[in-house]
Amino acid sequence: MASLSATSLSFKAPSTRSTRISQVLRKASTFQSISFGRFQSSKSLRLQISCAAKPETVQKVSDIVKEQLALSADTALTSESKFSALGADSLDTVEIVMALEEKFNISVEEADAQNITTIQEAADLIEDLVQKKPAA
Amino acid sequence: MRISVMSQMQRSFSIDLPSLIPLQLPSHEVKSTSLLKRYSQLLSPIEKDGVDQMRGDELKKNALLARTLVRTTISRYQTNKEVDPRSLMFKKNVYGKPEVDWQNCNNQPLHFNISHTDSLIACGVTVHVPVGIDVEDKERKIKHDVLAFAKRFYSADEVNVLATILDPEVQRKEFIKLWTLKEAYVKALGKGFSAAPFNTFTIQSMPGTEGAYNLCKTSEVTADPPEETKKCNGGWKFALFDLADSHYAAVCTEDDQANEGAPTKIIVRKTIPFVEDQLISERIFL
């Protein structure tokens, strides 16, 4: 089971997840048998890694970024697009985060807000927070 | 301590401590391709990559101008002979704040910080003390409701101050001024935004002064019920002023222990590297 985790974690994961990945690996090595019922975080982590932020989420984030930065509608944005490369300053980034909070009905910690640098990172954080919300 | 330097324009001027020299570069005034080419020759390969990463010609030009301004500004304030702006090396502190890497050429006590907007780039230089600078277009529109934004990110005291302003335009302007002051502080601190979340400190204007501000930090005292205490003693100095009539500029410097409480002299120059250099103002801030 531990080796299965290792292979699924070997492809590129978004940077925000890297600390949690190392925690899961450490947990795996200290226990002989791993029952997934006890490791809620590792089970959900594997699911999150195998499907990256949904394309719809990335699209919604892109739309909000375009609006905040007043980019033309045909500006080609990818998930790797960096806010700073698009001309966003810190005030723009904070406004983008506020717009994302409103759109997705989530609440972002200030430390996380300032650490978002790409569209992918924003989308991943959103899906993370949406998933953590108590079921309606 | 006084430092006399020769500028590139062959004028000499002296800088008294503690003082600060924001240089402003109006980016829309720089159009000549030969000049831009000359600027790009000053940049390191890493800086050139940084410029290339910017999406769009205007953003690329701004990034080029910013690096040019930093290099030419720092090199003109040397204590020894004139330094070739191309030879400067930069590094980042452990939190990512850019600094000069003096290598082994006797550690110069120069600190710098830069801020840019679409139409203006400002670089501040100080001697001995860390500095943070932030500039914003006075007319910048906030997409969200200003008070909602402040409630979300600013301190409770700052929200109260903004809430008492009835005119929405005046309120928006005060919001922007506060933003520049808070940004300048975090940049001067140099430890990243998580070291000083905006809602954990208040910047308030000092009554009876123009452009002088005070920093108050809120911290929770473990009591029952937990209380918030405010510490407004020094440590950091602030100045807020206009640039080119179109922008607000906020400057934050660490209060030098040797000169604690001493007034700050701020010299503002408008510059287009290799082309022009103009003294705009010299002001003392208490």
Side-chain angles (χ1 to χ4, degrees):
Chain A
M1 282 306 175
S3 60
L4 246 184
S5 303
T7 43
S8 71
L9 291 169
S10 67
F11 60 78
K12 183 179 170 223
S15 56
T16 46
R17 299 253 171 67
S18 55
T19 49
R20 279 186 276 149
I21 292 168
S22 57
Q23 282 166 19
V24 169
L25 283 173
R26 255 183 277 128
K27 273 190 191 167
S29 61
T30 45
F31 290 86
Q32 304 252 322
S33 70
I34 301 166
S35 85
F36 284 112
R38 289 164 66 192
F39 290 86
Q40 287 298 321
S41 58
S42 66
K43 181 179 183 178
S44 58
L45 183 61
R46 276 151 58 97
L47 283 175
Q48 282 168 350
I49 290 173
S50 52
C51 25
K54 297 195 277 282
E56 308 101 75
T57 310
V58 171
Q59 185 58 52
K60 285 178 186 164
V61 174
S62 298
D63 291 341
I64 285 174
V65 168
K66 276 189 190 176
E67 201 193 310
Q68 175 64 33
L69 303 181
L71 305 173
S72 65
D74 53 3
T75 308
L77 294 183
T78 70
S79 59
E80 299 310 309
S81 296
K82 278 186 176 173
F83 292 172
S84 57
L86 298 168
D89 60 14
S90 48
L91 185 47
D92 288 313
T93 303
V94 168
E95 289 227 83
I96 288 170
V97 168
M98 275 186 83
L100 294 175
E101 287 183 324
E102 284 157 15
K103 182 95 185 170
F104 292 94
N105 198 18
I106 49 176
S107 181
V108 178
E109 298 281 313
E110 185 165 347
D112 287 337
Q114 294 284 4
N115 283 334
I116 296 175
T117 61
T118 66
I119 291 184
Q120 183 70 56
E121 282 171 11
D124 290 342
L125 182 62
I126 289 162
E127 296 215 340
D128 207 33
L129 292 171
V130 164
Q131 206 183 57
K132 279 183 180 146
K133 280 184 353 175
Chain B
M1 183 179 152
R2 294 166 120 254
I3 308 166
S4 292
V5 295
M6 294 298 285
S7 75
Q8 285 174 355
M9 312 293 155
Q10 296 303 301
R11 271 178 292 136
S12 68
F13 48 92
S14 58
I15 308 161
D16 286 330
L17 284 177
S19 68
L20 185 145
I21 307 93
L23 268 79
Q24 44 163 326
L25 200 171
S27 45
H28 53 269
E29 287 183 26
V30 181
K31 293 186 171 91
S32 142
T33 29
S34 59
L35 188 58
L36 291 172
K37 194 166 170 197
R38 210 172 149 194
Y39 290 167
S40 62
Q41 284 162 357
L42 297 176
L43 269 52
S44 69
I46 294 176
E47 285 168 336
K48 286 192 191 133
D49 279 345
V51 169
D52 288 337
Q53 271 184 32
M54 301 303 286
R55 301 274 303 269
D57 291 337
E58 273 308 302
L59 290 178
K60 282 183 164 66
K61 184 174 103 172
N62 267 11
L64 171 61
L65 293 178
R67 295 316 303 167
T68 303
L69 185 61
V70 169
R71 283 181 174 272
T72 52
T73 303
I74 292 170
S75 65
R76 70 196 273 178
Y77 292 114
Q78 294 305 299
T79 50
N80 312 316
K81 52 184 179 135
E82 223 174 284
V83 163
D84 180 355
R86 228 173 318 200
S87 67
L88 289 170
M89 306 203 32
F90 295 90
K91 60 182 179 180
K92 290 190 175 167
N93 77 2
V94 63
Y95 303 98
K97 180 178 180 181
E99 296 175 342
V100 184
D101 184 355
W102 297 107
Q103 308 267 284
N104 293 314
C105 323
N106 42 309
N107 258 355
Q108 304 278 334
L110 284 182
H111 296 256
F112 79 95
N113 195 237
I114 189 163
S115 173
H116 24 141
T117 65
D118 291 343
S119 55
L120 189 138
I121 302 168
C123 179
V125 177
T126 50
V127 193
H128 289 311
V129 289
V131 59
I133 182 169
D134 192 59
V135 294
E136 285 298 342
D137 187 331
K138 283 185 186 178
E139 296 310 311
R140 183 179 186 143
K141 297 291 174 252
I142 305 297
K143 299 224 161 38
H144 291 85
D145 170 65
V146 164
L147 264 188
F149 195 129
K151 282 177 186 163
R152 176 74 182 75
F153 286 102
Y154 286 16
S155 73
D157 286 335
E158 287 166 341
V159 172
N160 290 338
V161 166
L162 287 171
T164 58
I165 303 173
L166 298 173
D167 182 319
E169 247 309 277
V170 177
Q171 193 189 61
R172 185 192 60 82
K173 285 195 153 110
E174 282 309 304
F175 174 89
I176 304 266
K177 287 181 190 173
L178 264 179
W179 179 273
T180 58
L181 286 160
K182 292 168 88 73
E183 271 286 290
Y185 169 58
V186 172
K187 291 173 81 177
L189 202 53
K191 292 184 181 159
F193 290 99
S194 28
F198 271 24
N199 58 8
T200 61
F201 64 93
T202 295
I203 298 187
Q204 57 195 25
S205 56
M206 277 164 46
T209 67
E210 200 194 301
Y213 291 80
N214 232 342
L215 171 75
C216 299
K217 290 184 223 178
T218 33
S219 51
E220 264 190 20
V221 176
T222 30
D224 194 2
E227 294 166 0
E228 269 190 356
T229 58
K230 258 184 1 187
K231 275 176 39 172
C232 295
N233 46 4
W236 298 90
K237 288 149 70 169
F238 295 86
L240 181 75
F241 49 93
D242 276 15
L243 272 185
D245 265 339
S246 54
H247 288 72
Y248 293 124
V251 172
C252 174
T253 50
E254 190 164 16
D255 209 347
D256 193 338
Q257 290 215 344
N259 290 294
E260 199 173 330
T264 313
K265 180 158 109 177
I266 298 187
I267 303 167
V268 182
R269 312 188 74 89
K270 173 183 161 181
T271 189
I272 297 177
F274 307 139
V275 175
E276 78 175 45
D277 189 81
Q278 202 189 336
L279 176 69
I280 301 290
S281 69
E282 265 188 55
R283 258 181 84 176
I284 309 281
F285 287 85
L286 299 161

